[in-house]
Amino acid sequence: MAEKRCANVGVGAVLKALREEARLTQEQFAPLVRYSVAYVAKIEQGKRFPPRDLLDRSEEVLGATAARVLGAAARSLTRKAGLASWFRQWAGIEEEAISLYAYECRVIPGLLQPEPYIRALFDRHLPPLTEDQSERQVAARLARQRLLVERPNTTFSFIIEQALLERRMGGAAVTRALVDHLITVGRYRNVELQVMLLAQEEHAGFEGEMYLAETADHRWVGYVEGHGTSVLASDPKAASQMLQRYGKMRSQALSHQATVSLLEQLRGAL
């Protein structure tokens, strides 16, 4: 409970600051947004997640600029609230990166997963998740994916193993949704998709999945995870080694154009 309360304080503090800037007390503000004074107080204290309706109603009271600020704070909260504690540091790096690279051999990278695929993964999570836990994590992962459109000047590169497409995680319908989504995302100007074929004699990714981010000051940071743990590779030498491996894999995998063609072929066969 303490962790959840801390996670909510940010957006609550923003709401309180915006309300006070508008020279409104909680007693004056609450009826204007059609919520009780006690409920508004709990949101500002970080004891409750702000409902979507409150964000929409706040624009009528606080104005468009304040609503955009509050909405940005709420989106950041949503992204973090359903994320594993060991992943949050990397999630923060993701949001500021000017380049993001990912190689996956286990599951489709989170930034590329459509909702049916996300739900298929969480349905199979062990130990099992409660309905509330699952919904929070689905919401957080979908919120993270807004990076692809919110950061059009960020370069996104993804290399995925063909086996992840052939596996049909969740069944044929989920796989169709996945392939359709990859084809759509592949049309974004800032996204490059590459598939590593099943039959690949030269493969620099035998050490496993990896993620890389270029920071605003042009430093590279690496990240690996598995079985509920993660390692952040901030040492320049370690990050450089990962970057070399990733560069080699880009030359070994199918080109973006060939990958899109393969995805279209797979979609036709489903």
Side-chain angles (χ1 to χ4, degrees), residues 3 9-10 23 31 36 38 69 74 112 120 134 139 153 157 173 190 208 240 245:
E3 182 180 28
V9 167
R23 300 184 183 279
S36 70
V69 172
L112 297 179
S134 179
N153 297 120
S157 171
N190 60 331
S240 175
R245 289 195 291 272

Side-chain angles (χ1 to χ4, degrees), residues 134-164:
S134 179
E135 289 302 317
R136 285 206 309 270
Q137 293 199 33
V138 169
R141 188 158 299 182
L142 290 173
R144 274 182 60 221
Q145 294 176 3
R146 291 185 59 82
L147 290 176
L148 297 176
V149 293
E150 288 179 350
R151 298 187 64 84
N153 297 120
T154 295
T155 300
F156 295 89
S157 171
F158 301 94
I159 302 173
I160 59 177
E161 291 287 340
Q162 184 181 355
L164 302 182

Side-chain angles (χ1 to χ4, degrees), residues 102-219:
Y103 163 63
E104 267 292 358
C105 53
R106 308 165 304 164
V107 294
I108 299 298
L111 291 176
L112 297 179
Q113 296 172 4
E115 186 171 343
Y117 187 89
I118 297 172
R119 292 189 179 278
L121 292 177
F122 288 140
D123 285 347
R124 291 158 176 77
H125 189 278
L126 292 174
L129 300 173
T130 66
E131 189 69 22
D132 183 57
Q133 288 173 327
S134 179
E135 289 302 317
R136 285 206 309 270
Q137 293 199 33
V138 169
R141 188 158 299 182
L142 290 173
R144 274 182 60 221
Q145 294 176 3
R146 291 185 59 82
L147 290 176
L148 297 176
V149 293
E150 288 179 350
R151 298 187 64 84
N153 297 120
T154 295
T155 300
F156 295 89
S157 171
F158 301 94
I159 302 173
I160 59 177
E161 291 287 340
Q162 184 181 355
L164 302 182
L165 302 170
E166 303 285 357
R167 182 170 297 150
R168 302 198 178 191
M169 171 71 74
V174 171
T175 303
R176 278 194 295 271
L178 170 62
V179 174
D180 285 343
H181 185 66
L182 292 176
I183 291 172
T184 298
V185 173
R187 298 191 184 107
Y188 296 175
R189 296 179 66 182
N190 60 331
V191 174
E192 179 183 65
L193 301 179
Q194 293 183 263
V195 165
M196 187 72 78
L197 293 175
L198 283 172
Q200 185 67 40
E201 293 184 5
E202 297 295 329
H203 192 331
F206 56 84
E207 292 191 43
E209 55 84 30
M210 71 173 83
Y211 290 77
L212 286 152
E214 183 183 10
T215 65
D217 58 354
H218 305 291
R219 293 183 298 106

Side-chain angles (χ1 to χ4, degrees), residues 31-102:
L32 294 175
V33 293
R34 303 187 292 284
Y35 281 101
S36 70
V37 175
Y39 193 73
V40 169
K42 287 180 179 179
I43 292 172
E44 291 188 355
Q45 293 164 11
K47 296 178 180 178
R48 290 288 186 273
F49 280 84
R52 177 72 254 178
D53 286 348
L54 175 61
L55 302 181
D56 294 335
R57 295 171 191 177
S58 295
E59 183 171 1
E60 304 169 13
V61 180
L62 303 174
T65 300
R68 284 197 297 272
V69 172
L70 187 60
R75 285 195 299 274
S76 179
L77 167 63
T78 302
R79 285 173 179 158
K80 301 295 189 300
L83 300 179
S85 58
W86 44 265
F87 181 75
R88 288 177 187 157
Q89 184 177 9
W90 178 253
I93 292 172
E94 271 188 338
E95 292 189 359
E96 303 298 327
I98 60 175
S99 300
L100 270 171
Y101 296 170

